[in-house]
Amino acid sequence: MVEENVKPRETDIHSSTMQVLSILALVLKNIWTLSFLRDVLCEFLGTALFLFASLGSAVLWPQLPDRDDLSSEPDLASLSDAQPLSQCHPDPLRVALAFGASAALVSMCLAPATSGGGVHLNPAVTLALAAGLRVSPWRAVLYVGAQLLGALCACALLAGMVPDSLRGQLGLNKVALGVHPCQAFSAETAITFQLVLCVFVTSQPKSAFHLLGPTVIGLSVTLGHLVAIGYTGCGMNPARSFGPAVVTLNFHNHWVYWAGPCVGAVLAGILHDLVLQPRWGCPGDWLVEFKELLPKAPHRQPTTSEHTQG
């Protein structure tokens, strides 16, 4: 009896193992293409360029005292006479414009190189597109990995370029004094909601703003910063918050900058795909399509035609 029970178990284990290996083989066959590798590279380069330019605007450069001799160049020793770094604050308008312009320009430059017509630059955007079955799960995972690696490289490069006395916290996002983490979560959810909604709307070929997608999304990024920078420093992008947190080893309230954007992104996708531009009659239809796409035919996995985010 014992031997008879062991044999079916071994058969089931063997069958399950072969099924998993078969799925992995199909996934790797779908992923290991020049087009896909180029897309992942674009996510890495795009995120690195976007965050290097954007976070550079948040570096604190204290105002030096007036000098009578304008021909002399100040050196690092003169920074001791400057305004203390703790009293310096980046100009919100400058930071907002830098993030918005950077998102728009990187999107415009890298979009032609991608198979889907655009880069995401943001794990929350990738999550929303994956939830909407516009991006396959394994493609989304590798995109997010590339985005986080790009964020780390951008912050590390910026940290190496900025003098130690001026480095500050490299644009680290912090919940403002007097703002409860739940309030910060709500702010991050709201600004990411409007951003991802812009991504979904401008990605529609029939949309009046389709050709202006990078510009519209750049404006959305700028708007989000103008609204939330006083509450949370404006994350809107988990990769943007992740890079400075790792470099400075400061993860206080870091969950806000992942949970808020991800929830806002998924809610925006649900609103767009179920209400504004219905793709499914009910959640059951989504589940059926998901099951059809996931294990059976990885070559059917969609590649996104979305533009970008910042």
Side-chain angles (χ1 to χ4, degrees):
M1 291 295 293
V2 175
E3 293 181 356
E4 292 179 356
N5 291 333
V6 170
K7 288 183 178 180
R9 290 180 184 176
E10 293 179 350
T11 303
D12 293 341
I13 294 174
H14 179 73
S15 176
S16 300
T17 302
M18 294 302 297
Q19 185 178 4
V20 171
L21 291 177
S22 176
I23 293 175
L24 289 177
L26 290 173
V27 170
L28 290 175
K29 183 179 179 180
N30 180 56
I31 288 178
W32 198 254
T33 63
L34 181 61
S35 174
F36 178 78
L37 294 178
R38 186 187 300 113
D39 289 344
V40 174
L41 178 62
C42 285
E43 288 295 334
F44 168 76
L45 289 177
T47 306
L49 291 172
F50 162 58
L51 291 181
F52 177 79
S54 302
L55 292 174
S57 67
V59 173
L60 303 177
W61 289 89
Q63 183 177 2
L64 295 175
D66 295 334
R67 288 174 173 267
D68 295 332
D69 184 7
L70 297 178
S71 62
S72 61
E73 296 183 358
D75 54 18
L76 290 178
S78 66
L79 293 177
S80 60
D81 298 329
Q83 183 183 11
L85 198 62
S86 60
Q87 299 179 9
C88 299
H89 301 282
D91 180 18
L93 181 59
R94 182 182 70 174
V95 173
L97 291 176
F99 271 86
S102 179
L105 292 176
V106 170
S107 168
M108 199 175 300
C109 292
L110 293 182
T114 63
S115 61
V119 286
H120 303 169
L121 311 180
N122 185 335
V125 171
T126 301
L127 174 63
L129 296 176
L133 305 183
R134 292 171 171 83
V135 178
S136 64
W138 40 84
R139 181 180 289 261
V141 169
L142 292 181
Y143 277 8
V144 170
Q147 292 157 3
L148 296 179
L149 184 59
L152 289 176
C153 291
C155 292
L157 180 60
L158 189 62
M161 291 179 58
V162 177
D164 292 341
S165 57
L166 301 179
R167 187 172 297 164
Q169 295 182 323
L170 295 176
L172 177 70
N173 280 328
K174 291 183 177 181
V175 177
L177 186 64
V179 177
H180 192 274
C182 292
Q183 295 173 319
F185 166 82
S186 299
E188 288 293 321
T189 300
I191 59 175
T192 310
F193 179 90
Q194 61 87 24
L195 169 66
V196 174
L197 194 59
C198 286
V199 171
F200 274 71
V201 171
T202 57
S203 69
Q204 299 297 323
K206 296 182 180 180
S207 172
F209 299 100
H210 179 66
L211 297 178
L212 297 175
T215 302
V216 172
I217 292 169
L219 290 174
S220 176
V221 172
T222 301
L223 175 63
H225 279 76
L226 292 175
V227 170
I229 200 169
Y231 294 90
T232 64
C234 188
M236 197 190 294
N237 183 336
R240 175 261 181 273
S241 302
F242 178 76
V246 171
V247 172
T248 61
L249 298 178
N250 187 338
F251 292 92
H252 184 62
N253 287 327
H254 189 65
W255 68 270
V256 169
Y257 302 101
W258 280 89
C262 289
V263 171
V266 172
L267 289 177
I270 292 174
L271 175 66
H272 182 270
D273 286 344
L274 293 183
V275 179
L276 301 181
Q277 298 287 336
R279 293 178 59 198
W280 306 286
C282 65
D285 296 337
W286 176 92
L287 186 60
V288 170
E289 184 175 342
F290 177 78
K291 289 181 177 179
E292 289 179 352
L293 289 175
L294 184 58
K296 295 181 180 179
H299 64 275
R300 293 183 55 198
Q301 295 299 326
T303 56
T304 176
S305 60
E306 313 301 328
H307 287 289
T308 183
Q309 131 32 45

